[in-house]
Amino acid sequence: QLQASGGGLVQAGGSLRLSCAASGSAFSIDAMGWYRQAPGRQRELVASITTDGIIEYANSVKGRFTISRDNAKNEVYLHMYSLKPEDTAIYYCYAAEIATMIQDDINYWGKGTLVTVSS
């Protein structure tokens, strides 16, 4: 089970920090990360990180978002800076048993947390 938190309403240029914790004794996780889905749009990858620390970002968030994780706690974080109205979306954390960013290969999804950026 994945539990995400940290969403909310922020003005453009502001910052937010999302957190996601994995719980359950059956977890064997490699990659963790975040997708987002804006109204009327498809879900898209935001950032991912493997247990080895390999990181990928969507081009739209490079230089503004930072992903990190605590492997011992099975937690992943997304620090979002210089937020823009186009970052408004529901953010979903994920966990996968292999090093993947592909939605079809992801094993676990959080319920999503809403981020709203006002102009």
Side-chain angles (χ1 to χ4, degrees):
Q1 182 178 0
L2 297 179
Q3 183 66 48
S5 61
L9 173 64
V10 64
Q11 288 188 332
S15 303
L16 279 176
R17 178 179 178 265
L18 304 183
S19 300
C20 179
S23 61
S25 60
F27 271 100
S28 175
I29 293 171
D30 191 329
M32 298 186 78
W34 299 87
Y35 270 74
R36 68 184 180 187
Q37 187 167 20
R41 302 190 67 176
Q42 290 188 333
R43 192 176 294 191
E44 63 176 1
L45 176 71
V46 177
S48 69
I49 182 169
T50 68
T51 52
D52 294 333
I54 298 172
I55 292 174
E56 296 285 346
Y57 292 105
N59 288 333
S60 59
V61 306
K62 282 182 180 177
R64 299 189 299 118
F65 290 12
T66 300
I67 190 170
S68 60
R69 66 186 285 176
D70 184 327
N71 289 334
K73 296 181 179 180
N74 278 338
E75 293 183 358
V76 64
Y77 314 100
L78 187 67
H79 290 80
M80 304 183 292
Y81 306 97
S82 301
L83 282 160
K84 304 175 181 180
E86 51 264 43
D87 294 317
T88 295
I90 298 174
Y91 284 70
Y92 297 91
C93 64
Y94 78 83
E97 295 175 357
I98 59 174
T100 185
M101 300 176 287
I102 300 172
Q103 293 192 65
D104 290 346
D105 294 334
I106 290 171
N107 304 98
Y108 310 102
W109 290 94
K111 289 186 177 180
T113 184
L114 178 63
V115 172
T116 304
V117 184
S118 62
S119 57

